[in-house]
Amino acid sequence: SSDLWVGSTILFTIGGNDIETNNGEVWPDVLSACILERNCHKENGNQVANWNDIRTRLDAAYDKLALAAHGAKIRVMGYPRMFQRLTAWYNFDKCPGVTGVNRNEADWADDNIDV
């Protein structure tokens, strides 16, 4: 019964591994490849191809969860920005960038997480 969820908080992430590129690759594979390839963010094949499908599936998942656990606080967490970069080599208060990923690639990958 949905009353079981009253007073509960549900935290989750969803959808990130469902992203596919124009080349048919999944997002984690593209990010891994971008560490080894230069300027992967410029390749048309690496661009996300299924945003609309993902949005439709997410809406359905959110609706289903809201109905099943209507007494809970439901919080969708974002994904971490995996390729945060330094703006200068001496900014020791920030995490270093990922080796092999240039600034433009890092921004591209992180911006796609925020969509």
Side-chain angles (χ1 to χ4, degrees):
S1 164
S2 60
D3 291 339
L4 296 174
W5 293 100
V6 172
S8 297
T9 301
I10 299 171
L11 304 171
F12 66 99
T13 59
I14 187 173
N17 290 332
D18 298 327
I19 295 172
E20 292 181 9
T21 67
N22 290 330
N23 285 338
E25 293 181 287
V26 293
W27 194 240
D29 291 343
V30 171
L31 296 182
S32 295
C34 283
I35 293 172
L36 302 174
E37 298 172 19
R38 301 305 293 165
N39 296 313
C40 68
H41 65 293
K42 294 180 180 180
E43 296 292 328
N44 182 55
N46 290 337
Q47 304 307 313
V48 177
N50 65 335
W51 281 128
N52 290 335
D53 179 51
I54 295 225
R55 285 186 181 116
T56 299
R57 290 168 44 198
L58 289 175
D59 285 344
Y62 297 150
D63 289 345
K64 186 174 181 177
L65 181 59
L67 287 172
H70 69 268
K73 293 178 187 173
I74 300 171
R75 303 292 183 257
V76 179
M77 309 292 288
Y79 286 94
R81 298 176 68 80
M82 301 293 291
F83 293 97
Q84 297 176 29
R85 62 175 170 92
L86 293 175
T87 55
W89 66 269
Y90 51 81
N91 284 343
F92 297 112
D93 61 327
K94 297 182 181 177
C95 295
V98 174
T99 301
V101 177
N102 69 39
R103 290 178 177 187
N104 293 328
E105 292 167 332
D107 290 345
W108 170 78
D110 285 342
D111 289 347
N112 274 290
I113 294 296
D114 294 335
V115 172

